[in-house]
Amino acid sequence: MNRAFLYNISANLITFVLMMLMSVCLTPYIVHTLGVEAFGLIHLTQNMINYLSVITASLSAVVVRFFSVAAHKGEMEKAQSYLASYFVSAVLLSISLFSACLLLSKQLVNWLHVPGHLAQDTQIAFIFGGLLFMLNFVMSGFGAAPFYANKLYISSAGQAVQMFCRALSIVLLFTFATPNIWHIPLAAVIGSIAAMGFALYYFKKLIPWFSFKWRYVSLSSSLTLVRSGVWHSFEQMGILLFLQIDLLMTNLLMGAEATGQYAAILQFPLLLRTLAGTLAVVFAPTITKFYSNQDEEGLVQYAAKAIKWSGLFVAFPAALLGGLAGPLMQLWLGPAYEELKWLLMIHAAYLCVTLMFLPLTYVPTAFNRLKVPAVVTLVLGVSNVLLAYGLTQVFQLGLYGIASAGAVVLLIKNVMFLPFYTSKITKQRRAIFYKQTAVPFMGGLFIWGICAGIQLVYQVTSWGEMLCIGGICFILYMGYLYLFAGTKQERIQLIRKVKQAAAERAVSR
C-alpha cells in the first residue's frame, strides 16, 4: 500500500466514524424532539429530491473521469474544457431544477400521507432540500481536483466539515428557535456552504494550472459528457428504484408513522453504504490511472484485491450491527423499537455480502462501458418496486417485505451481475473476482457468531457493555485478519516493520 492510499483510506474511515457518532447522537435527539412522523418526512422529502439525480447524473457522474483521463494524458486544455463546461452547465441546470422544486412543493402534501399540522413545514423542508441538492450538484465539479491528485482525504475532510457544521446548526436552531422539520435541511445547507468554501480552497491549490475562462466553455465538451453520462442517468434511475424508493413506498402503503420507524432503521444501513462507498472511491483513482496507462492486467489484479480489502473493512461493522441489533435498538431509541431489530438484521446480512463488490463499479466507468450496467440496474430497480409491493400487499409482510425485496435485488446486481460484466469487459475469468470474497465473508460470520453467543449467556443492558463487546470483537477480528487476510510473506513483512518502528522509537528516547 502506498502512502496516498493509506492517507485516503484512513481519512475515509475517520470520516465514517464521525458520521456514525453524529447519526447515533442526532437521530434519537431529532426523533424525540420532533416525533417519529416528522423524522420520517424529513428523510422522505430529501429522498424525493434525490430523484432529480436522474437528470444531473448525466453530467456529475462522468466529469471527474473525463477530466482525470485527459489530465493524466497531458491534454490539459481538453481537461479544462470538460471542467469549465461542467460548471456552466451545472449552474444553469440547477437554476431550472430549483424552480421546479418550488412548483412541486405546493403539490407535495397532496401526494403523500402528511399530517395536517406538518404540511407547511414539510413544504419548506422540501424547498431547502432542493437548494441543498443543487449546491451539492455544482460542488461535484470540485471533486475533480482531489480525485486527479489521488488525495481523496481532502474530500473526506470536506465531508467532516459539512457534518460538523450541520450538527452544530441543528443544535443551535433547536435551542434558540421552536424546532421545525425544515431546520434539518436548512442546517444541511449551512454545512454544504461551509464545505464548498473548503473544497474551493483546495481545488485551487491542487490544480493551480486550471483557470476558468469562457473560451474553455464548449458545447461539444458538454455534449460529450451528456452522451457518456446518459447511461449513468438510466443507472441512477434504477439505483433510486431499489435504494431510495423504500421510504416513499412505506409512506404510500403504510402511512407516516411506519415511514418514521423505517427511516430510523435505515440510518445504520445508510452508514454502512456510505462506508462502503467511501472505501470504494479510494480505489477509483488508481483504477482510472491503470486504464489511462493501458495496463489492463494491473487493473484487474488491483480491482480483485480491492474487493477483499473493501469487504474486510465493511464486514466488521456490518456483523456488529446484525449481531447486536436487539440491544442496540433498545438502548438507542427505546424498548418500543426493539421489535424492529429483525429489519436491522436483514439489512446487515445482505449488505455484508453485497457491499464488498462496490469497487468494481468504477471499472465500467473507466472503460466508458456504461450501457449494459444502466439497463440491468433499471430493470432490477423496477423489479424491486414490484417485488416490494407484492411482498407488502399480497403476502402482508409489511416493512419486512420492503427490506427483503431490496436484499434480493441488490444480491442479484452486486454479487451476480457486477463481477460477471466486469470480467467480460476486462476479458478475464469471472472467478477472479470471487476468489477474494471468502475471507471477508467468513470474518463477518465469525464476528456475528461471537455477538450472538455472548447474548445467549449474558443480557446486554448498557452502552458500556456494548462497547466492551465491540472491543472484544475488534481484538478478535484483528487476530483473524492477521491469520487469514494476508499471505505469509506479508505477515513477516508486517512483523518486521513493527519491530523496526519499535526499535527506532526506543533509540529516539
Side-chain angles (χ1 to χ4, degrees):
M1 296 183 185
N2 58 36
R3 183 173 297 180
F5 178 85
L6 291 175
Y7 283 163
N8 291 338
I9 201 166
S10 298
N12 281 346
L13 288 174
I14 292 171
T15 302
F16 168 75
V17 172
L18 290 174
M19 188 181 299
M20 181 182 68
L21 291 174
M22 289 186 182
S23 180
V24 168
C25 296
L26 283 177
T27 296
Y29 176 59
I30 296 171
V31 168
H32 295 312
T33 302
L34 295 178
V36 68
E37 292 180 335
F39 182 78
L41 290 170
I42 292 168
H43 290 274
L44 176 58
T45 52
Q46 190 58 56
N47 275 7
M48 293 183 67
I49 291 167
N50 288 340
Y51 298 158
L52 294 175
S53 62
V54 171
I55 300 172
T56 60
S58 60
L59 287 169
S60 61
V62 295
V63 63
V64 171
R65 182 263 181 197
F66 275 87
F67 173 83
S68 299
V69 170
H72 282 308
K73 290 181 178 180
E75 300 171 346
M76 299 306 182
E77 189 165 330
K78 189 175 182 180
Q80 293 192 85
S81 178
Y82 283 131
L83 206 49
S85 301
Y86 171 81
F87 282 127
V88 172
S89 302
V91 169
L92 293 176
L93 188 56
S94 292
I95 294 172
S96 301
L97 292 177
F98 185 68
S99 300
C101 286
L102 291 175
L103 296 174
L104 290 173
S105 64
K106 298 179 180 180
Q107 303 297 324
L108 188 67
V109 294
N110 297 324
W111 298 338
L112 304 174
H113 290 135
V114 180
H117 66 286
L118 296 175
Q120 186 175 2
D121 290 344
T122 302
Q123 290 176 330
I124 298 173
F126 187 80
I127 293 171
F128 276 122
L131 180 58
L132 173 66
F133 180 85
M134 303 314 156
L135 286 173
N136 290 336
F137 175 39
V138 175
M139 197 166 62
S140 294
F142 295 140
F147 188 95
Y148 163 72
N150 198 12
K151 293 185 177 180
L152 297 178
Y153 54 86
I154 291 175
S155 297
S156 297
Q159 291 176 10
V161 169
Q162 186 174 12
M163 287 187 295
F164 176 78
C165 291
R166 173 180 174 269
L168 180 61
S169 298
I170 289 173
V171 174
L172 291 175
L173 287 168
F174 277 23
T175 302
F176 296 103
T178 303
N180 277 300
I181 289 177
W182 54 269
H183 285 168
I184 307 302
L186 173 59
V189 168
I190 295 171
S192 185
I193 292 173
M196 181 176 284
F198 181 89
L200 180 59
Y201 171 79
Y202 279 100
F203 178 82
K204 293 179 178 180
K205 192 172 182 178
L206 292 175
I207 49 174
W209 47 267
F210 175 84
S211 59
F212 180 87
K213 296 178 181 179
W214 283 104
R215 65 185 179 89
Y216 290 134
V217 179
S218 163
L219 180 61
S220 63
S221 295
S222 297
L223 291 176
T224 299
L225 295 176
V226 171
R227 279 195 296 268
S228 178
V230 68
W231 294 113
H232 259 298
S233 292
F234 279 100
E235 184 176 27
Q236 186 67 17
M237 192 183 304
I239 289 172
L240 291 171
L241 287 174
F242 68 75
L243 289 184
Q244 295 201 23
I245 201 70
D246 294 14
L247 290 181
L248 180 58
M249 292 191 68
T250 303
N251 183 272
L252 295 176
L253 298 177
M254 304 177 65
E257 184 176 356
T259 304
Q261 292 176 342
Y262 200 53
I265 288 293
L266 285 179
Q267 296 307 297
F268 284 105
L270 179 61
L271 283 171
L272 283 178
R273 289 191 177 114
T274 303
L275 171 63
T278 54
L279 290 173
V281 78
V282 169
F283 301 101
T286 304
I287 288 173
T288 303
K289 195 168 185 178
F290 273 123
Y291 174 79
S292 301
N293 296 334
Q294 298 182 339
D295 184 2
E296 290 191 15
E297 183 178 351
L299 185 152
V300 170
Q301 293 176 355
Y302 184 80
K305 289 182 180 179
I307 292 173
K308 181 180 77 172
W309 289 108
S310 180
L312 287 170
F313 277 111
V314 173
F316 179 73
L320 275 183
L321 180 64
L324 297 174
L328 174 63
M329 292 304 301
Q330 185 172 12
L331 292 171
W332 185 44
L333 293 177
Y337 291 85
E338 186 181 6
E339 63 181 20
L340 299 176
K341 65 182 180 180
W342 302 108
L343 281 173
L344 209 52
M345 289 184 184
I346 292 173
H347 283 290
Y350 77 83
L351 290 177
C352 186
V353 179
T354 58
L355 293 180
M356 71 176 75
F357 292 94
L358 281 188
L360 293 185
T361 59
Y362 292 98
V363 178
T365 301
F367 279 76
N368 200 20
R369 299 279 295 273
L370 304 173
K371 181 178 179 180
V372 174
V375 173
V376 170
T377 303
L378 182 57
V379 170
L380 290 175
V382 174
S383 302
N384 175 59
V385 174
L386 297 176
L387 182 59
Y389 181 84
L391 292 176
T392 303
Q393 296 297 101
V394 179
F395 292 95
Q396 299 295 310
L397 294 180
L399 293 177
Y400 297 96
I402 293 175
S404 299
V408 171
V409 171
L410 202 58
L411 284 166
I412 294 173
K413 180 182 182 292
N414 283 12
V415 181
M416 297 175 62
F417 167 74
L418 194 54
F420 171 77
Y421 185 70
T422 305
S423 64
K424 183 177 180 180
I425 63 176
T426 56
K427 300 176 183 178
Q428 300 288 325
R429 292 179 294 105
R430 184 170 49 171
I432 193 170
F433 296 117
Y434 288 111
K435 290 180 179 179
Q436 305 287 354
T437 61
V439 175
F441 180 71
M442 295 305 296
L445 286 179
F446 174 57
I447 296 301
W448 197 314
I450 291 172
C451 293
I454 290 175
Q455 291 178 79
L456 286 175
V457 297
Y458 185 81
Q459 185 177 1
V460 182
T461 57
S462 70
W463 284 108
E465 292 170 348
M466 287 266 290
L467 290 174
C468 287
I469 294 173
I472 293 170
C473 289
F474 180 76
I475 294 171
L476 294 173
Y477 194 65
M478 289 299 102
Y480 175 84
L481 293 183
Y482 176 76
L483 292 174
F484 301 106
T487 63
K488 182 179 180 181
Q489 185 64 28
E490 289 172 337
R491 288 196 292 272
I492 293 173
Q493 290 178 355
L494 177 62
I495 294 174
R496 188 178 299 158
K497 287 181 179 180
V498 171
K499 289 181 177 179
Q500 183 179 355
E504 291 175 353
R505 188 172 182 180
V507 170
S508 64
R509 287 179 178 177

